[in-house]
Amino acid sequence: MRGFLASSIGVATAAALAALPLALSTPALAAPSQGAATAPVAPAGSTQSLPLAPLGPAADRSPGVPGMSTSPRLPETQGLPPREVKRFSLVGVVWDDVNTQLSGRVQVRTRAVATGTWSDWQDIETHNSEHAPDLDTRESGSGRVRGSTAPLWVGDSDGIEVRVQAEPGTGAPAPATRAGARLPSGMRIELVDPGATDPVTVVDAKNGASGTADEPEGDDKGDVVALPGMTMETAESSSVNVPLAALGAKEITALDKADSTADAVLASEGTLSAAARPYIGPRPRIVTRLGWGADESLREPGFVYTSTVKAAFVHHTASGNNYACKDAPAVLRSLYRYHVVSSGWRDLGYNFAVDKCGTVYEGRAGGVAKAVLGAHTMGFNTDSMGVAVLGTYTSTNPPAAAVKSVAQLTAWKLGLFNRDPRAKTTLKSGGGNRFKKGTSVKLNVISGHRDGFATECPGKLLYAQLPPTRTSSAKLQGRP
């Protein structure tokens, strides 16, 4: 077969922040909880979930007559004093009720394993509800979904300090002040260790280092057949990319436009429309879930599809830019674990991810060429795909390599469904803070997250790159 087929709502005042604990030098660490001593990285990854507790006074101060309040009640603050924990690389805060917004400022300090030094305070993007399953879907109604901040990549760490301060929500009445602002119940800090890459290693007997294997013999009824040493969950996830790549492949190879079209026709078993065939862009190299080390036992079994792909929503992960390209698989494993274990989603929210060097990664399981239902743009997950560029691009320019890969990926994937990247399309809102449920909304075929939801995502500097990306994507498809 050819190719073998970030920003927080509001900023706390300096006076209020001064009331919170701030250590300018390395603080003494609280003793870790039982079983929390530093230990080698677990191969399969892990999540530590630690409850936050009140920091400082949370009740009215009454310096005058007993029982009489003469000063306003302080906003609620919660956090975690500096403490030693098991190793982790990504952090986020979750809370019980997914329908409750965290209006406030979340900050963390972490201690690096390599140097033993503490970082400065870092802000975590608090508004993350726009990255979520659509309302009234089985995924959102599972009972496991929690409220959550965006995750933040901090690198290999073994110490944590947290502080969260409430602020009035944007919907508060005009006379409301910071006094008495409350935080959601059940807040916890999630410390995610990505672990090592998946221990399953499948090597092609002919090509050696390609990281693929010969297709196993089996019947032609679509039954999943696992290779030796491969779990059934991994085989299930890998099999939906056959014949684009062999079962057990760690990557799907890049193809030029002609070969990409031929493989797409083959994979579709002749169902690909004649109108779409001239406009399928060259397929980029895609690292599969096996390639970046996804623990397939975390996600829910099976896959959920929509009828087509009409639009691509571009995101940033708001997880920070402090990662090297070699660390991107670990960042992705951490995001995946945070979405599933901490936030309660069925799988990673995004359909694809792109790192700062331009490498494209398979996201939510179900097949890279198929219309897989994601959890990336609340209200518009149906009949769309989500592409997340790893990092934060509100005040940092996205790397040219990443922007180029977004154009290449959309040229190929949208081409499979005969979508012109320069065109408009209509999607029906599933409900959100910008469009009511049931509203028919005209959107760009390549849109930014903020086009469907009131959010800063994908960051204003990445968003500014979307117009030229549409042009580049259409050119790669060969459109006039």
Side-chain angles (χ1 to χ4, degrees):
M1 295 182 188
R2 188 180 287 107
F4 200 88
L5 301 176
S7 66
S8 305
I9 282 286
V11 179
T13 62
L17 283 179
L20 296 174
L22 175 62
L24 298 180
S25 59
T26 302
L29 296 178
S33 58
Q34 185 176 0
T38 53
V41 175
S46 63
T47 301
Q48 302 169 76
S49 186
L50 306 176
L52 302 186
L55 292 177
D60 288 348
R61 293 177 176 177
S62 304
V65 178
M68 298 293 292
S69 175
T70 59
S71 62
R73 184 170 179 266
L74 293 177
E76 184 181 8
T77 61
Q78 291 188 27
L80 194 70
R83 63 181 297 174
E84 184 174 326
V85 293
K86 291 189 294 185
R87 291 166 72 161
F88 66 96
S89 295
L90 179 138
V91 302
V93 170
V94 301
W95 54 94
D96 294 338
D97 185 2
V98 67
N99 296 313
T100 299
Q101 293 288 330
L102 194 167
S103 295
R105 189 177 191 184
V106 179
Q107 295 181 298
V108 298
R109 297 178 71 227
T110 56
R111 188 179 69 178
V113 169
T115 63
T117 58
W118 285 81
S119 70
D120 295 331
W121 286 104
Q122 300 183 76
D123 284 289
I124 294 179
E125 169 62 61
T126 57
H127 285 186
N128 194 48
S129 61
E130 63 268 23
H131 302 81
D134 284 349
L135 301 173
D136 300 326
T137 60
R138 181 177 177 181
E139 185 171 359
S140 66
S142 66
R144 298 189 303 273
V145 180
R146 300 175 178 175
S148 60
T149 67
L152 178 68
W153 177 261
V154 295
D156 195 13
S157 306
D158 61 4
I160 182 71
E161 183 177 6
V162 186
R163 64 189 188 188
V164 183
Q165 184 167 48
E167 294 177 346
T170 55
T177 66
R178 296 172 51 81
R182 305 293 295 174
L183 294 169
S185 62
M187 288 202 308
R188 307 177 69 86
I189 183 77
E190 301 285 291
L191 308 177
V192 181
D193 166 28
T197 54
D198 193 314
V200 175
T201 301
V202 182
V203 179
D204 189 314
K206 296 180 180 179
N207 300 321
S210 68
T212 61
D214 292 329
E215 188 172 1
E217 295 183 0
D219 61 34
D220 58 359
K221 298 179 182 179
D223 293 339
V224 175
V225 180
L227 294 169
M230 178 184 288
T231 67
M232 287 305 297
E233 294 94 341
T234 300
E236 178 190 44
S237 177
S238 181
S239 67
V240 286
N241 285 320
V242 175
L244 301 183
L247 182 67
K250 293 190 175 182
E251 67 175 58
I252 297 169
T253 57
L255 295 177
D256 62 22
K257 191 176 188 308
D259 285 352
S260 182
T261 301
D263 268 18
V265 172
L266 178 64
S268 69
E269 298 179 346
T271 62
L272 185 71
S273 71
R277 294 177 189 179
Y279 300 121
I280 299 173
R283 188 177 72 202
R285 170 179 173 266
I286 303 172
V287 176
T288 66
R289 289 170 65 91
L290 183 63
W292 55 262
D295 180 354
E296 298 294 352
S297 68
L298 294 180
R299 65 173 174 84
E300 288 187 11
F303 315 111
V304 182
Y305 299 99
T306 63
S307 60
T308 187
V309 176
K310 298 172 69 175
F313 285 97
V314 178
H315 304 256
H316 67 174
T317 57
S319 52
N321 304 315
N322 189 28
Y323 72 94
C325 291
K326 66 180 178 60
D327 297 325
V331 174
L332 202 52
R333 291 195 302 276
S334 298
L335 290 171
Y336 170 47
R337 178 171 280 274
Y338 185 71
H339 284 183
V340 177
V341 177
S342 302
S343 301
W345 304 350
R346 75 183 317 270
D347 195 352
L348 181 70
Y350 309 111
N351 298 102
F352 296 93
V354 178
D355 70 21
K356 63 174 67 174
C357 289
T359 301
V360 178
Y361 300 86
E362 178 184 14
R364 179 165 287 208
V368 296
K370 299 183 180 182
V372 179
L373 178 67
H376 48 85
T377 306
M378 178 183 276
F380 294 99
N381 290 310
T382 298
D383 295 342
S384 72
M385 59 184 270
V387 183
V389 181
L390 301 181
T392 304
Y393 300 105
T394 301
S395 58
T396 299
N397 282 312
V403 175
K404 180 180 179 181
S405 288
V406 171
Q408 293 173 330
L409 174 61
T410 53
W412 172 71
K413 183 64 181 278
L414 293 171
L416 296 178
F417 296 88
N418 195 25
R419 308 298 176 190
D420 184 342
R422 302 164 303 185
K424 301 279 188 178
T425 191
T426 300
L427 296 176
K428 182 173 289 187
S429 172
N433 68 356
R434 186 166 183 178
F435 300 103
K436 292 182 179 180
K437 184 177 181 179
T439 304
S440 293
V441 183
K442 181 173 283 190
L443 296 161
N444 289 306
V445 168
I446 297 180
S447 285
H449 187 178
R450 62 175 62 182
D451 295 323
F453 202 98
T455 173
E456 288 295 316
C457 185
K460 65 179 181 180
L461 296 184
L462 177 55
Y463 187 75
Q465 292 297 316
L466 296 189
T469 297
R470 296 181 189 111
T471 302
S472 298
S473 183
K475 184 176 181 180
L476 287 166
Q477 288 184 341
R479 293 185 184 272

